[in-house]
Amino acid sequence: MTSLPSKLQEQLSDCRQEHLLKFWDVLSADEQKFFALQLSSIDFELFLRLREQKASASDKLIAPCDVVQLDDAFQSKGVASIQNGELGVLTVAGGQGTRLGWSGPKGTFPATPVTGKSLFQIIAEQIVFASKKYSVVIPWYIMTSNENDEATRSFLLDNNCFGLKRTDIFIFTQNEIPAVDAEGNMLLATKNSVAMNPDGHGGVVSALKQSGGLEEMSIRGIKHLSYVQVDNPLANVIDPDFIGLHLSDKSSQEASSKCVPKITPEERVGVFCNVAGNIEVVEYIDLPADKANQVHADGELLYGAGSIAVHLFAVDFLHRIADDLPWHLAHKKVQHVHAETGDLVSPPEPNAYKFEKFVFDVLPMAKSSLVVATKREDEFAPIKNATGQDSRTTSHQLQQARALRWLCERGVDVEEGAKVEISPLSGMSAKDLDASVLPTSIASDEVVVI
Ligand code: UTP
């Protein structure tokens, strides 16, 4: 091939992006083919629309939102729904994991303190446990990105899907979108490819629709999805109490979300708020400092309902709003090829804008939405960074602490210093643990896996 198909040529010219072809003539035929294929996958209309989008300052009317406490009042409703085969698990695992700096997909990261189980394995085993407990198939929907799809599939297959049936796992890939520089121009990642980024965790809704995932759920009779991100090893993926609350109203909720107390005004978590009558997650950066610092009489933060990105979504609801999520702009460092010299540039400062969708933007579109407060120490131990806060080290400590609490609750005498890990295959609460496998005591130098 020596020239680009005329339609693509026209599209590039209409968008004033001909600079992308600067190195076309020095590419091999295969490289040209690859490039043409990538260009033909770009939604130029969307690109033009988004290019005009400016970062919008937050001028919203924000108030604290109502929160209900997680309890077992509606557990039987939750159990019945699971047993009826109405529940699927949805995991977003397409992120680039830049902060963690792990070479493979984040889901393959060894996350548990003793056996080093991967983040994917922790979720898979919870599904295996719940499927047995409730005698039902619980399908798992996993969103990957172009970058990590192949590695994710191989990892799951190489590990026999951790006990799940391959046919009960639905893997689909999120869309990508070109990053732009300050002038609104696309950048070259290499001489024959445009710098693209995944369209954010909010891309999950349209990707589920486009991939046939929503259709597949309808055929299976799945009515509700338990949404979790891949990087929180303490997330309780199948929680009958939470599902029960989600279903507690006559018409049930279209969306329900778990929150935990935000620790400090500065903590970088989004907060559930009431924005003009709707529940929304306000990002930490958009919450005005005077609000972030406000406290109740007891000292708790007024805007303290921190999001842990755990939600339940009605499948019908996702069908209805699949194409409606807004786009956000993020100013980021994007490595690229210099438009004139062809040299690789690794910018020291943010040089480009990435377009992303956020999953919590579905919440204000829900006709009914519930925020449920749970215990932070039981359900939140994210692994985001290589070191420091929210790293493997802090997550290990929290996982270990929860395991010890569960064992204490079951009367096991654990000496300080003992290392303990509880497999999701053994249960997802202290009550689940089978008494016959529990030791009476664990000495300080013991390492125990239950
Ligand atoms: P984060 O926002 O923490 O991003 O994603 P990340 O990619 O894991 O890490 P950084 O920011 O590059 O360091 C939260 C969850 O959303 C998923 C991630 O895989 C993770 O489970 N995600 C994020 C996607 O699936 N797609 C995206 O485009 C972005």
Side-chain angles (χ1 to χ4, degrees):
M1 190 194 288
T2 49
S3 62
L4 195 66
S6 55
K7 184 167 175 246
L8 280 176
Q9 192 93 48
E10 270 169 38
Q11 280 173 318
L12 287 178
S13 142
D14 289 349
C15 302
R16 299 192 307 282
Q17 299 298 307
E18 293 106 321
H19 63 280
L20 297 175
L21 299 178
K22 166 89 180 166
F23 306 105
W24 181 263
D25 292 336
V26 300
L27 301 176
S28 69
D30 277 352
E31 286 170 336
Q32 288 179 342
K33 216 164 137 189
F34 175 89
F35 198 8
L37 200 69
Q38 192 212 24
L39 287 171
S40 63
S41 73
I42 293 176
D43 184 342
F44 285 95
E45 262 178 47
L46 176 67
F47 167 74
L48 277 178
R49 259 191 291 129
L50 291 183
R51 196 165 66 164
E52 302 311 319
Q53 182 165 325
K54 301 273 180 302
S56 61
S58 177
D59 52 359
K60 297 170 171 174
L61 277 176
I62 301 172
C65 75
D66 293 336
V67 171
V68 301
Q69 291 300 316
L70 182 67
D71 62 25
D72 60 4
F74 296 94
Q75 190 186 70
S76 57
K77 273 200 176 206
V79 169
S81 174
I82 301 171
Q83 285 174 333
N84 286 339
E86 294 175 359
L87 186 79
V89 170
L90 172 60
T91 303
V92 286
Q96 294 172 305
T98 10
R99 287 169 287 169
L100 186 59
W102 174 244
S103 57
K106 208 184 209 182
T108 65
F109 187 76
T112 63
V114 177
T115 62
K117 283 182 186 175
S118 66
L119 290 162
F120 277 134
Q121 183 168 2
I122 297 167
I123 299 175
E125 291 189 349
Q126 289 193 54
I127 301 175
V128 170
F129 175 80
S131 300
K132 275 202 195 121
K133 179 171 176 178
Y134 301 111
S135 310
V136 71
V137 172
I138 301 173
W140 189 16
Y141 302 85
I142 304 173
M143 181 169 83
T144 59
S145 64
N146 282 343
E147 206 179 315
N148 71 18
D149 183 72
E150 214 175 294
T152 300
R153 287 173 193 269
S154 310
F155 182 75
L156 291 172
L157 287 178
D158 290 349
N159 288 286
N160 292 322
C161 301
F162 300 108
L164 291 166
K165 264 171 74 184
R166 172 68 192 91
T167 45
D168 294 325
I169 303 179
F170 187 100
I171 301 175
F172 59 104
T173 308
Q174 70 181 110
N175 292 316
E176 288 188 324
I177 181 127
V180 296
D181 65 14
E183 281 76 47
N185 291 320
M186 294 185 206
L187 298 162
L188 283 172
T190 62
K191 287 180 182 169
N192 73 325
S193 66
V194 176
M196 309 279 281
N197 64 274
D199 61 353
H201 40 64
V204 69
V205 196
S206 49
L208 259 183
K209 185 178 167 194
Q210 287 159 12
S211 63
L214 290 179
E215 227 27 73
E216 203 262 3
M217 287 168 200
S218 301
I219 293 166
R220 280 182 185 259
I222 302 297
K223 293 191 177 148
H224 309 281
L225 285 177
S226 171
Y227 169 98
V228 285
Q229 301 190 335
V230 77
D231 52 12
N232 175 13
L234 286 191
N236 186 354
V237 176
I238 297 148
D239 180 350
D241 295 347
F242 184 39
I243 300 166
L245 281 164
H246 175 72
L247 300 174
S248 57
D249 268 7
K250 249 188 267 150
S251 54
S252 87
Q253 312 295 328
E254 287 196 320
S256 299
S257 312
K258 275 188 180 168
C259 72
V260 298
K262 190 177 159 180
I263 300 175
T264 61
E266 296 77 29
E267 197 192 0
R268 296 172 156 229
V269 293
V271 172
F272 291 98
C273 293
N274 183 322
V275 182
N278 291 318
I279 287 177
E280 282 191 24
V281 171
V282 176
E283 289 225 87
Y284 65 89
I285 208 148
D286 294 329
L287 189 66
D290 58 326
K291 288 198 159 55
N293 285 295
Q294 258 174 292
V295 286
H296 288 287
D298 62 3
E300 267 191 32
L301 293 171
L302 188 60
Y303 292 86
S307 172
I308 54 170
V310 171
H311 307 278
L312 286 164
F313 298 129
V315 173
D316 285 350
F317 165 57
L318 296 188
H319 260 291
R320 177 159 62 77
I321 51 101
D323 303 316
D324 300 345
L325 268 72
W327 288 91
H328 298 264
L329 269 182
H331 202 202
K332 295 268 172 82
K333 293 183 212 166
V334 174
Q335 202 184 55
H336 61 281
V337 157
H338 192 280
E340 292 302 322
T341 63
D343 295 337
L344 195 63
V345 183
S346 297
E349 297 298 328
N351 61 316
Y353 293 91
K354 288 183 175 179
F355 297 102
E356 283 182 332
K357 297 188 210 173
F358 300 147
V359 75
F360 49 74
D361 278 330
V362 308
L363 299 177
M365 292 187 255
K367 286 182 194 145
S368 51
S369 176
L370 194 68
V371 181
V372 178
T374 187
K375 286 190 185 141
R376 183 176 176 120
E377 62 275 22
D378 279 351
E379 303 202 38
F380 193 47
I383 300 181
K384 298 281 182 194
N385 304 310
T387 54
Q389 190 62 33
D390 296 341
S391 63
R392 170 158 53 184
T393 310
T394 55
S395 182
H396 279 183
Q397 287 159 355
L398 291 161
Q399 291 178 59
Q400 169 91 13
R402 185 179 76 172
L404 294 181
R405 279 197 305 280
W406 285 4
L407 292 180
C408 269
E409 220 177 287
R410 294 299 303 268
V412 180
D413 184 15
V414 188
E415 280 181 13
E416 211 180 314
K419 279 196 100 180
V420 184
E421 180 175 315
I422 298 179
S423 165
L425 294 173
S426 300
M428 275 316 294
S429 69
K431 277 193 207 127
D432 280 336
L433 303 178
D434 177 355
S436 68
V437 303
L438 295 180
T440 45
S441 63
I442 302 175
S444 62
D445 57 351
E446 276 188 279
V447 178
V448 176
V449 179
I450 290 161

